[in-house]
Amino acid sequence: MKIKEQTRILCISSPAMEALGVSCVSSFYKPTPIHKKFNFNKSTPIPRSCFSSTRKIKSRSTKGFTSLSSSSKVSPENVDPPEAELETETPNEIFEWFSQWYPVMPVCELDKRVPLPKKILGLDVVVWWDINESKWKVFDDTCPHRLAPLSQGRIDQWGRLQCVYHGWCFNGSGDCKFVPQATPDGPPSHTLKKACARVYPTTVQHETVWFSPSTDPKYKDIIKKKKPPFIPELDDPSFTNLFINRDIPCGYEIIVENLMDPAHVPYSHYGVMQLDKPPKVKADREGGQPLELGVKKLDLNGFVGRQEWGSVKFIAPCTYCMYADDDPVDVQGNGSAKSTGTDEEHKIMEVGAANWQKECFVPARSDALVVGFRRWMTKYAGGQINWGGKFSPTSLPPTPPREQLMDRYWSHVVNCKNCSYAYKSLNTLEVSLQVITIVSIGIVAATKQGVMSAATRTMVVSMAIVCFVASRWLAHFIYKNFHYHDYNHSFH
C-alpha cells in the first residue's frame, strides 16, 4: 500500500505492568505527505491479529488511530554526532507523573456491560460504564471492604459497580450505596467515607478514555486546569481513524525510544516495510542509511524535533506525533513551535551529557531524538519514572520467556472486539471440521459391506481426510496469528 496523501502518526503509550511494563493503548495513524521513499510492502502484510480498526472515510485525506540494541563499539572518528537540543530555561522544574493524563483504552474496544481491569503507572484500575451518568469511570481496582478486585464483579441492574466478593455496590462517584449483609436497623455503615471506592478523574478525548492517576482531592477537578494532549486532526471528520491496542511487556523508556528511533525500522522490521535505497549511498541488504534528525525545543512538557521527511513532537509523558510537514503544533498542542535558528542547534552534544547508560554509544544523528528523550528524562524527571514508592527501579522482575514476551492473545486479542470475534469463529470452524472428520469415519466404520458403494465409501473417507488436514492447518493458523508468531532474522 502506498500512502500518497499527507501522513501524520500519533502514538500513545502508558507506563504500566509494574516497573517494567507499558500499555500501548492507542496509536493514531493519519495518512497526511509521507516521503516517497517510504512504501509498505504488499508481500508481507502485518498480521491482522495485532490490531483493531474503525474507519470513517469522508474524503480523500484519511486519519487513523493506533495508542508506542545492544551497544556496539564504533570509532567516533569521522562520525556525525546527534545535534544538541535547545532547552527553554525552566529552573527547578520537576515533572509530576501523577498530575498528568494517561490513556486507558479506545472507546471502541470497551464493553459497557463489563468492567475492564488495566494496570497503568503501576496502578491496578478498572474502567466501567456508569449508565446513570452516561460516562466512563475509572476506579481503583480494589473494594474497600476486603480488597477484592472490582474488575471481577459486575454492573448490577441499577447501573452500579458490584463487588464479586460480598456484593457491595458503588455508584459513579465511588459512594457505597448498598451492603447486602447490613441489617436494616443497624448503623448505616455504607455511608461512611471508608466504605467508598477510590475514584480517578476521567475524561474521553479523541475517542479514547483517559484518566489522571491520583485520588488526592486537589486533583479532583484537574480537567479544569489541564486536559489530555489535544491533536486537532484527530477530531477532523475528513480523516480515517485506525485504532491499535496492545499491551507490551516492555519498559516505558524502551518503548518510547523505539518510537523515536526510525533507524531500527529496516532491520528490526525487515520485510514488513520496504524502503527505497538512496541512489548515491552504498546501502546493505536492509537499506540502512544516514538519517538527519534533530531536536529544536525541549522543556518540561516534552520536545519538538525534526526528521528528513517532516517533524515530530513528544508530549510528556506518553504521546508521540510524527508530521510530514515541518511545522508541527508546539509541545502543549497550541500553535507552532519555531526553532530559534541559532548556532546552538548545530552544536555537538557530548555523548556523556545524556548520562543514562554508560554502555550506550550514540555517534550518529539518527540517535538525536532518543538522546533528546533521555535528556528530558534526566533534566525534568530525575532519570526515572515516579512509581509512587510502589516499585524500585533497581529490582526489576526477570525478563519473561520469548513465548510470553511476544504473546498476542493476552496482550491484544482478548481486548479487541474484531480479533476476539475472528478468534472464536475460527475455533468454531476448527471444531466443526474435527466433528465432520469423526462422524465421517464413524459412518464408514458402522456401515456394512454392500450397503455403501465403493465410490461413496471412498468419497466419505476422502472428505474425512480433507477435513482432518484442514483442521490441523487451521489450528496452526490460529496459533500463529492469535497466540505466538516467532521470527528469526537469520532466515529473512
Side-chain angles (χ1 to χ4, degrees):
M1 176 181 68
K2 294 184 178 180
I3 299 179
K4 296 182 179 180
E5 301 291 340
Q6 198 177 23
T7 301
R8 304 184 179 185
I9 300 176
L10 166 66
C11 296
I12 300 178
S13 63
S14 297
M17 298 173 63
E18 300 186 355
L20 162 275
V22 170
S23 175
C24 278
V25 177
S26 60
S27 323
F28 306 84
Y29 288 92
K30 301 188 261 175
T32 68
I34 201 164
H35 197 279
K36 290 183 179 180
K37 64 174 66 176
F38 288 84
N39 294 325
F40 289 99
N41 187 351
K42 295 181 180 179
S43 61
T44 53
I46 301 175
R48 294 290 300 169
S49 62
C50 291
F51 39 69
S52 61
S53 64
T54 58
R55 297 183 177 274
K56 305 175 183 176
I57 302 175
K58 294 189 178 181
S59 71
R60 289 185 179 179
S61 60
T62 58
K63 170 186 70 176
F65 290 69
T66 160
S67 33
L68 47 173
S69 64
S70 58
S71 60
S72 59
K73 295 182 179 180
V74 182
S75 174
E77 298 180 4
N78 301 322
V79 179
D80 293 327
E83 297 181 9
E85 61 270 6
L86 296 178
E87 297 184 20
T88 304
E89 291 298 326
T90 50
N92 302 321
E93 284 191 305
I94 300 297
F95 186 78
E96 297 183 10
W97 293 88
F98 284 84
S99 63
Q100 311 297 325
W101 288 96
Y102 295 85
V104 182
M105 282 288 286
V107 173
C108 64
E109 302 292 8
L110 293 171
D111 189 339
K112 293 182 178 181
R113 303 168 300 174
V114 182
L116 177 72
K118 298 295 289 184
K119 183 185 285 289
I120 303 174
L121 202 65
L123 301 172
D124 290 304
V125 301
V126 54
V127 55
W128 63 285
W129 176 254
D130 180 7
I131 191 173
N132 297 304
E133 297 186 27
S134 297
K135 293 181 179 179
W136 289 104
K137 302 287 184 174
V138 177
F139 283 15
D140 186 274
D141 195 14
T142 305
C143 179
H145 178 210
R146 297 288 297 279
L147 309 183
L150 291 174
S151 59
Q152 295 183 14
R154 68 183 184 95
I155 300 174
D156 70 5
Q157 60 268 40
W158 290 282
R160 305 172 299 192
L161 182 60
Q162 185 178 60
C163 178
V164 68
Y165 202 13
H166 292 93
W168 286 32
C169 295
F170 305 89
N171 65 7
S173 300
D175 300 325
C176 183
K177 307 302 293 183
F178 179 56
V179 176
Q181 297 77 23
T183 57
D185 55 347
S189 57
H190 67 280
T191 61
L192 299 177
K193 185 176 181 180
K194 289 184 177 180
C196 296
R198 291 192 291 273
V199 183
Y200 295 103
T202 310
T203 189
V204 174
Q205 182 168 288
H206 300 321
E207 303 179 64
T208 300
V209 176
W210 299 71
F211 92 114
S212 184
S214 178
T215 57
D216 192 312
K218 69 179 182 180
Y219 293 114
K220 181 179 180 181
D221 297 322
I222 188 175
I223 190 67
K224 296 179 180 179
K225 300 178 180 179
K226 184 176 186 178
K227 296 182 179 180
F230 179 73
I231 311 298
E233 294 84 355
L234 297 185
D235 287 337
D236 188 341
S238 66
F239 286 83
T240 295
N241 305 339
L242 172 66
F243 286 90
I244 298 178
N245 159 49
R246 186 166 185 177
D247 293 331
I248 303 176
C250 177
Y252 160 75
E253 301 99 321
I254 300 300
I255 198 67
V256 173
E257 289 180 2
N258 179 75
L259 295 173
M260 297 179 180
D261 182 16
H264 84 278
V265 172
Y267 299 94
S268 296
H269 304 283
Y270 178 74
V272 176
M273 181 179 290
Q274 183 66 44
L275 305 179
D276 294 338
K277 298 179 181 180
K280 296 184 179 180
V281 178
K282 184 179 179 180
D284 53 12
R285 178 194 68 168
E286 292 82 3
Q289 58 183 289
L291 298 176
E292 289 292 331
L293 305 179
V295 175
K296 294 182 178 180
K297 175 183 176 182
L298 186 146
D299 60 23
L300 178 69
N301 300 293
F303 64 79
V304 173
R306 64 172 178 79
Q307 49 191 1
E308 290 183 341
W309 52 270
S311 52
V312 300
K313 177 179 60 174
F314 168 61
I315 306 175
C318 54
T319 304
Y320 184 66
C321 310
M322 289 182 283
Y323 295 85
D325 53 69
D326 197 26
D327 188 26
V329 293
D330 67 10
V331 174
Q332 288 76 26
N334 302 303
S336 300
K338 301 292 186 180
S339 173
T340 60
T342 65
D343 293 336
E344 290 295 322
E345 184 180 356
H346 303 287
K347 285 185 177 180
I348 296 175
M349 177 187 294
E350 296 181 3
V351 175
N355 191 27
W356 71 93
Q357 287 181 336
K358 294 182 179 179
E359 67 271 18
C360 287
F361 182 48
V362 286
R365 294 181 185 274
S366 61
D367 298 306
L369 300 180
V370 175
V371 172
F373 169 69
R374 282 297 176 175
R375 191 69 179 274
W376 176 86
M377 282 283 290
T378 300
K379 183 176 179 63
Y380 298 106
Q384 62 185 18
I385 299 175
N386 178 12
W387 298 102
K390 296 183 65 176
F391 307 105
S392 171
T394 59
S395 59
L396 298 177
T399 302
R402 186 178 179 87
E403 289 75 12
Q404 181 180 345
L405 188 66
M406 300 177 67
D407 167 73
R408 291 179 172 181
Y409 182 78
W410 293 109
S411 66
H412 171 74
V413 175
V414 293
N415 291 324
C416 174
K417 292 182 179 179
N418 294 335
C419 290
S420 294
Y421 177 78
Y423 180 75
K424 293 176 181 177
S425 299
L426 290 174
N427 274 290
T428 300
L429 178 58
E430 180 192 352
V431 172
S432 299
L433 291 172
Q434 293 174 354
V435 170
I436 294 174
T437 300
I438 296 174
V439 171
S440 299
I441 295 175
I443 292 175
V444 172
T447 304
K448 297 180 179 180
Q449 294 288 344
V451 176
M452 181 184 296
S453 65
T456 303
R457 185 182 297 272
T458 301
M459 182 184 67
V460 174
V461 171
S462 299
M463 182 176 64
I465 295 174
V466 170
C467 289
F468 175 77
V469 173
S471 69
R472 293 297 83 209
W473 177 88
L474 189 57
H476 174 73
F477 176 85
I478 293 172
Y479 180 78
K480 181 178 179 180
N481 288 276
F482 294 92
H483 287 278
Y484 172 70
H485 178 72
D486 199 7
Y487 188 91
N488 190 327
H489 289 270
S490 299
F491 300 105
H492 293 84

